[in-house]
Structure formats: structure tokens, C-alpha cells
Amino acid sequence: MKRTRYYYLIRIQYLGFRYSGWQKQPGRKTVEGMLDKTFRHVLPDAKFKILGSGRTDSKVSALDGVFELFLDDTPLPDFETFLPIFNRNLPPDIRALDIKSVSKDFNIIKNSKSKEYVYLFSYGEKNHPFCAPFLYNVIENLNISLMKEVAPHFVGTHDFSTYTARLKPNTQVIRTVDYCEILENDLIYGSFLPNNSYKLVVRGQGFMRYQIRMIMGALIQLGKGELGKQEILDSLNPDIKLRLTTVAPGSGLILNEVKFD
């Protein structure tokens, strides 16, 4: 008997600080694993699978995470009824925002048009401990003006092989960055936040593992005086073979927006 399959796009938010990333891993607490566990509880007789729009790393958060739910035989009940039930059973650091039906032709990977990531950081003094889950704290002083000047040089189509870890054969290293700026942080507010904090905003269709965290790491090295502007420019030239190794912590990175065709 042929099964009837139903397709849904679900947007969520999560604080990644206590998770070992998105993807299910044996013996690890992950976002995908927690979603799977919750669906098995609220839809105990259903056959389903979930597929994320990407795999965020350990401790990375999302204000606009997206995944597709494939559900066999029986559709979800009324969305306005199901969404509160789903949220009630999710842990407090994951929240479902929206559910909508999509066609079987929709592909959550191929139809992704743009992703925006934000990396939050501060410098110059020790932060309040409550900042730790989402704000990277650099104790040393940074030349923030120079960092702001250099960040837009990542915009364009470049060989980003310097900006990924454990490069595998056949990895698509030619990537296009549509936007890259360092701005004042206006994304997260809190009485415990430092007076001055900043955000690196990077936008593009897709990124390699650690790419944005290594861009942030290079800019922080620039701000500390450990790298010069020309070295950052050279890092995008595959003929120079400059090797960078600094990866900014996952806890500062937030998936802020996902757009589809």
C-alpha cells in the first residue's frame, strides 16, 4: 500500500549553549535529537523524519532556525492547536515559531536562497557570566575601527579554503559572501550586557564548516595586532597559501535568518 506523505516547514529558535550542535550524535544532546524526541512524544504513532536547512555546530544558537518535517499517512492536526502542544513539550531553550505546509517538490537545502549569521562579541573587560551563552568576550583591547574597515573585504566570490577546518576532497571552497560588516550590537538586549558590544553580520547562500567563526577569528587577530590588513587580503588569495587556525567559539554565533526561493 502506497503511503501518503505530508511536508511541513517549521521555524524554530534555540539557545545552543548546552547542545553539541544540530545533528544527532550517539550519547550527545543535540537540537535535532531533542526535536526528534519531542515529536515521538506528541505524535507517538507517527512515522516521520526531520531535515534541517543546515548543521549548526556545538553551542551555536538560532533566532531563525528552519527544518522540514516529513510525515507519513496522517497529517498534522490544525496548526494553531498543534503549535502550543509542541512548544509545551519542547525544552525551555527551544521554541517553535511557525509551521506551514510545503509541496513535495520543495527542497530545504537547494531552495535556500540566503542565510544570515550574526557573531556577537565584546572586548576590554570581563563580562557578566550571564553573557556566556551568546556573547564572546575578548579581554584584550581590540582595534575595532580597523576590524570594521577590513570586514567588507570578505564580500564577493573568493576561495575560502583558508577559512574551514579539516578540508575534505571535493569540498566547494569557492563561496560568495553577499554582506560582511561589523556593527554595534542591537540584536540582543539585557541589563547584564556590557555597555558596548558588537556584531559581525555575514550573509550568503551557504557556508563551509567553521567559515564564519574563522572569519571572526581572523578579524579578532587583526584587532589584537596579531595579523595585518594585508595578511587578511592575502588569505583570500589561493596562490599565497596563508594558513589561519583561529576559530572563534561557537557560543557567539547565531543563525539569524534563512530565506528561500
Side-chain angles (χ1 to χ4, degrees), residues 17-236:
F17 197 62
R18 73 185 185 109
Y19 294 101
S20 298
W22 166 269
Q23 189 177 16
K24 282 195 291 186
Q25 304 169 53
R28 297 288 187 93
K29 188 184 294 292
T30 68
V31 178
E32 183 185 31
M34 189 59 68
L35 291 169
D36 186 86
K37 180 180 179 180
T38 304
F39 276 122
R40 281 189 276 111
H41 178 71
V42 298
L43 301 172
D45 300 319
K47 183 177 180 181
F48 68 89
K49 70 174 183 177
I50 60 179
L51 178 64
S53 64
R55 298 174 181 176
T56 50
D57 293 324
S58 178
K59 297 185 183 299
V60 175
S61 298
L63 290 174
D64 186 31
V66 191
F67 69 92
E68 190 170 3
L69 171 68
F70 304 86
L71 188 60
D72 287 344
D73 297 332
T74 304
L76 286 178
D78 175 72
F79 295 166
E80 291 187 6
T81 302
F82 180 76
L83 191 61
I85 294 172
F86 189 45
N87 272 319
R88 193 176 303 125
N89 287 278
L90 284 169
D93 48 10
I94 302 178
R95 177 171 72 156
L97 300 174
D98 178 68
I99 305 172
K100 72 174 184 179
S101 298
V102 292
S103 73
K104 66 178 182 179
D105 298 322
F106 178 81
N107 186 305
I108 195 169
I109 306 298
K110 293 182 178 179
N111 289 122
S112 176
K113 179 181 179 182
S114 176
K115 292 181 181 178
E116 180 179 280
Y117 283 89
V118 174
Y119 197 101
L120 298 178
F121 68 99
S122 64
Y123 71 92
E125 61 178 339
K126 182 77 171 181
N127 280 347
H128 191 292
F130 288 4
C131 298
F134 53 81
L135 184 67
Y136 177 42
N137 188 199
V138 180
I139 302 299
E140 299 92 336
N141 282 323
L142 297 176
N143 185 339
I144 197 73
S145 297
L146 181 59
M147 294 169 66
K148 288 181 177 181
E149 175 192 336
V150 173
H153 287 279
F154 288 101
V155 172
T157 301
H158 304 287
D159 183 326
F160 280 97
S161 55
T162 300
Y163 290 90
T164 188
R166 297 191 294 274
L167 187 61
K168 297 180 180 178
N170 303 318
T171 298
Q172 179 57 48
V173 297
I174 305 299
R175 302 280 176 147
T176 299
V177 171
D178 299 319
Y179 181 90
C180 186
E181 298 276 355
I182 290 178
L183 306 166
E184 304 291 320
N185 169 33
D186 59 0
L187 185 66
I188 303 291
Y189 301 89
S191 60
F192 51 85
L193 262 67
N195 291 330
N196 297 300
S197 58
Y198 301 88
K199 63 179 183 179
L200 170 70
V201 183
V202 185
R203 194 179 304 132
Q205 185 174 13
F207 303 95
M208 294 181 291
R209 189 181 187 194
Y210 296 159
Q211 183 177 342
I212 296 171
R213 290 168 59 189
M214 291 189 74
I215 290 174
M216 185 75 259
L219 289 169
I220 288 171
Q221 283 190 284
L222 175 74
K224 289 180 178 180
E226 297 172 355
L227 289 175
K229 177 179 177 179
Q230 189 59 48
E231 288 175 288
I232 298 290
L233 301 181
D234 289 345
S235 71
L236 298 172

